[in-house]
Amino acid sequence: MAHEVMAKLLILLTISFSAIAAVAASGSIGESHRFSRSLSPKSMGLKKEKFSHLHFYFHDIVSGTKPTAVKVAEAAVSNKSATLFGEVLVMDDPLTVGPEPSSKLVGRAQGIYASASQEEVGLLMVLNFAFMEGKYNGSNLSVLGRNKIFSEVREMPIVGGSGLFRFARGYAQAKTHTLDLKTGDAVVEYNVYVFHY
């Protein structure tokens, strides 16, 4: 009888130690393959947050032999729609200091815009402002928002960035400087307000 109690106790101890060892092993494996963790901004080399204002002109040229925005898709109803609903364009538009096409180039607006409203001319804008001048050379700001192009001033969110605009957030205000209703070509003034590190 004493041997049976001792055998059961030995089996119970073996199971207990095996369970403890399994938990300890899974904990150390989990640590090396962790999904997320909290970090301090300093550990990523982030310094004091800044607030910047950028001002430039966006040249959207859809006509001529060297357009900067081209149609890549349309719906069956796009040509019958007063708002061109369903039309999608890809752009690589110059960004300049002044409204003249010959003004100093500071970057490019690269992305997609699509007519996304059946009721009014409203564009879905998905683009990067890719800067190539001064301290912002190689840095980008990302925009994702609605652009009601016939409103005097439109506001779109800045949803991120890279380079000097890492962790960016803010907004862009667009105001049409010129619009040629025959060709569709436009120059748009942008004021961008952004928090970044």
Side-chain angles (χ1 to χ4, degrees), residues 29 31-32 48 51 53 59 68-69 71 78 98 100 106 122 132 140 143 147 196-197:
I29 290 171
E31 291 297 315
S32 66
K48 185 178 179 189
F51 183 65
H53 171 229
H59 300 263
T68 60
K71 183 178 4 176
S78 294
E100 306 80 19
V106 294
M132 50 182 58
N140 301 289
V143 177
N147 184 354
H196 61 97
Y197 286 94

Side-chain angles (χ1 to χ4, degrees), residues 1 86 160 170:
M1 184 97 155

Side-chain angles (χ1 to χ4, degrees), residues 134-145:
K135 70 178 181 178
Y136 298 124
N137 183 19
S139 297
N140 301 289
L141 286 172
S142 299
V143 177
L144 173 63

Side-chain angles (χ1 to χ4, degrees), residues 118-183:
Q118 296 182 62
E119 305 296 321
E120 59 193 346
V121 181
L123 304 177
L124 167 65
M125 307 287 288
V126 182
L127 65 104
N128 289 312
F129 292 133
F131 297 104
M132 50 182 58
E133 178 58 34
K135 70 178 181 178
Y136 298 124
N137 183 19
S139 297
N140 301 289
L141 286 172
S142 299
V143 177
L144 173 63
R146 183 170 191 247
N147 184 354
K148 242 173 71 174
I149 65 170
F150 291 118
S151 295
E152 185 178 352
V153 178
R154 290 88 69 193
E155 187 173 298
M156 292 165 277
I158 300 294
V159 296
S162 64
L164 290 180
F165 294 118
R166 194 175 291 153
F167 294 107
R169 66 191 190 289
Y171 67 97
Q173 286 183 329
K175 182 178 183 181
T176 302
H177 181 73
T178 59
L179 172 63
D180 185 326
L181 292 174
K182 289 181 185 177
T183 64

Side-chain angles (χ1 to χ4, degrees), residues 54-68:
L54 294 97
H55 177 261
F56 50 83
Y57 290 84
F58 171 108
H59 300 263
D60 192 54
I61 310 302
V62 295
S63 69
T65 58
K66 291 190 176 183
T68 60

